[in-house]
Amino acid sequence: MIYLDNNATTQIDPEVLAVMLPFLTDNFANASSTHAFGLGANDAVKNARQQVADLIGSQPHEIVFTSGATEAINLAIKGVAENYSSIGKHIITVQTEHSAVLDVCKYLETKGFDITFLPVQSDGMIDLAVFKASLRPDTILVSVMLVNNELGTIQPIKEIAKLTHEVGALFMTDGTQAVGKLPINVDELDIDLMTMSAHKFYGTKGVGALFVRQRRNRLIKLGALLHGGGHEGGKRSGTLNVVGIVSMGKAAELCQQKMKVDTQSIGALRDELEKALLQIPDTSINGNTVHRLYNTTNIKFKGCDSDALIMGLQDIAVSNGSACTSASIDPSHVLMALGMTETEAFSCIRFSFGRFNKAEEIPVVVEAVRKVVESLRAWN
């Protein structure tokens, strides 16, 4: 199997697996227990919290561990809605956000909140003038993802955060596809809330985190999504997933060490594949090709059904959108937001690379895609 669906999930790095294993066997204590065994587990959690904080330039106490990015998104948006509704009930997000953000915002609409779903331009980028015009005195939160999961588009969140703070609102970004892949400093970007998930950067599934700014100039207050034992500073009750948290910390540490090399090697593979696939007639890249994550390309193959193309690539793992919406029979909401027809949206494939892809995979993938595309077009 050639795996080119790293935006859906990544392989656990062997070094991450090595640090996880003791916490599945010998070091199995509850991190909230006060005996020596529990204190050892608690020390491992503290270390992981520092490792994650170091990756994004935050303080350790600003990291709240969750079960993943979806829970972190729910905690952040619903928490702001609950605690800041006396100031206003207007929230701004973007039509191309992950369904976790969009669905939470649609839920809040049923609770009396006014949600602005910003359009994007044909390349997936936000028009800053349109965004600025949408800001209001009663805006309490702006949520714009740093990197789009389907296109790899990188939004100008520093500029967006600045405009957001000028009206006194909070700025949140879904950093799930960016953390561990791009250099991120939450202070330089002036981020108030940021979500992340370990399995997107070579950790295990079932663990993520929310960065919550806790500084004197901006002390973000969130209501708890889960109540119980008051874990994670009262923001997220529940027995800590020590083995998952340890994996996330180690994965964060490795990303800091390997990011520069990963950027160059993974980017070179993506560019090589993209160049070869674009030699196939009637193919084109979706989204902005300048402000884009180095590991992702989304390509339209005119006249080919993406599901049929995926099925034809039997030993190659690719996708036609977010794995979280794979059960939907509707076209990608991201591609539709670019102005595509349904037929066009159903003819696009996302290729996303990771640390463990190899150069020798590229010609195999190119030849396989070429054959399937020619076969599908012959039937039309």
Side-chain angles (χ1 to χ4, degrees):
M1 174 65 70
I2 296 176
Y3 187 75
L4 294 177
D5 197 19
N6 285 274
N7 283 10
T9 194
T10 56
Q11 175 185 335
I12 293 178
D13 191 292
E15 292 185 62
V16 172
L17 181 60
V19 301
M20 290 173 62
L21 289 175
F23 294 92
L24 290 168
T25 53
D26 300 328
N27 301 345
F28 55 83
N30 188 321
S32 297
S33 297
T34 56
H35 48 63
F37 203 15
L39 293 176
N42 185 260
D43 286 342
V45 169
K46 286 181 180 178
N47 182 58
R49 202 183 302 276
Q50 182 68 62
Q51 290 169 316
V52 173
D54 288 343
L55 180 63
I56 64 171
S58 76
Q59 298 299 316
H61 69 279
E62 296 176 310
I63 301 297
V64 178
F65 286 117
T66 65
S67 65
T70 295
E71 184 189 328
I73 287 167
N74 275 262
L75 173 59
I77 299 177
K78 291 176 181 177
V80 170
E82 180 179 351
N83 280 272
Y84 294 83
S85 59
S86 61
I87 300 173
K89 289 194 171 184
H90 181 229
I91 295 173
I92 300 173
T93 190
V94 186
Q95 293 175 5
T96 52
E97 293 290 302
H98 190 278
S99 57
V101 171
L102 297 178
D103 287 354
V104 172
C105 288
K106 290 172 185 175
Y107 164 77
L108 288 176
E109 281 186 314
T110 70
K111 301 299 180 181
F113 285 83
D114 184 10
I115 313 295
T116 297
F117 296 93
L118 287 175
V120 293
Q121 301 172 93
S122 60
D123 64 352
M125 299 294 289
I126 293 173
D127 184 328
L128 288 177
V130 173
F131 167 66
K132 186 174 182 179
S134 71
L135 290 165
R136 305 184 334 207
D138 64 335
T139 303
I140 57 173
L141 178 68
V142 172
S143 182
V144 179
M145 68 196 318
L146 206 167
V147 172
N148 185 270
N149 53 309
E150 294 189 33
L151 304 172
T153 306
I154 302 174
Q155 297 290 356
I157 65 166
K158 186 173 183 177
E159 291 83 352
I160 294 170
K162 182 176 183 295
L163 292 170
T164 298
H165 292 139
E166 286 177 356
V167 299
L170 301 178
F171 178 70
M172 166 184 161
T173 188
D174 175 5
T176 308
Q177 291 294 342
V179 173
K181 301 172 187 175
L182 293 176
I184 296 173
N185 184 291
V186 291
D187 287 343
E188 291 178 5
L189 297 175
D190 209 8
I191 297 167
D192 297 313
L193 298 153
M194 184 170 70
T195 61
M196 61 201 91
S197 193
H199 76 101
K200 302 294 187 180
F201 55 94
Y202 314 103
T204 190
K205 301 173 187 66
V207 62
L210 173 66
F211 159 73
V212 184
R213 183 170 291 280
Q214 298 289 287
R215 315 290 173 86
R216 286 184 179 180
N217 63 327
R218 217 175 298 141
L219 184 67
I220 311 303
K221 298 180 180 179
L222 298 180
L225 191 65
L226 299 175
H227 296 86
H231 306 78
E232 295 299 280
K235 295 181 178 67
R236 199 271 185 186
S237 292
T239 302
L240 293 180
N241 175 9
V242 177
V243 66
I245 289 169
V246 167
S247 92
M248 189 171 189
K250 184 62 178 180
E253 179 184 73
L254 291 175
C255 283
Q256 272 199 295
Q257 297 170 0
K258 300 182 179 185
M259 192 177 296
K260 186 174 181 179
V261 172
D262 281 351
T263 300
Q264 295 172 345
S265 60
I266 296 172
L269 294 178
R270 191 278 309 272
D271 292 347
E272 184 181 349
L273 176 74
E274 191 174 78
K275 182 179 179 180
L277 291 180
L278 290 177
Q279 298 303 309
I280 300 173
D282 293 319
T283 60
S284 56
I285 302 172
N286 301 316
N288 191 292
T289 57
V290 177
H291 304 289
R292 179 176 55 150
L293 189 65
Y294 55 83
N295 83 315
T296 305
T297 183
N298 192 304
I299 298 181
K300 179 168 62 181
F301 298 90
K302 186 177 180 180
C304 296
D305 179 80
S306 57
D307 285 329
L309 184 50
I310 291 171
M311 290 179 64
L313 299 172
Q314 295 180 356
D315 297 322
I316 302 171
V318 294
S319 70
N320 56 357
S322 170
C324 297
T325 56
S326 61
S328 173
I329 60 172
D330 296 322
S332 161
H333 70 278
V334 173
L335 298 178
M336 294 294 287
L338 303 187
M340 290 189 187
T341 64
E342 287 194 8
T343 299
E344 289 174 326
F346 277 127
S347 64
C348 301
I349 296 292
R350 179 187 70 183
F351 302 85
S352 49
F353 287 81
R355 184 178 295 162
F356 302 106
N357 286 117
K358 300 177 176 62
E360 53 263 34
E361 296 172 337
I362 304 301
V364 178
V365 174
V366 172
E367 184 59 24
V369 172
R370 189 189 309 276
K371 286 182 177 179
V372 177
V373 168
E374 290 175 353
S375 176
L376 292 174
R377 286 175 176 171
W379 281 94
N380 292 339

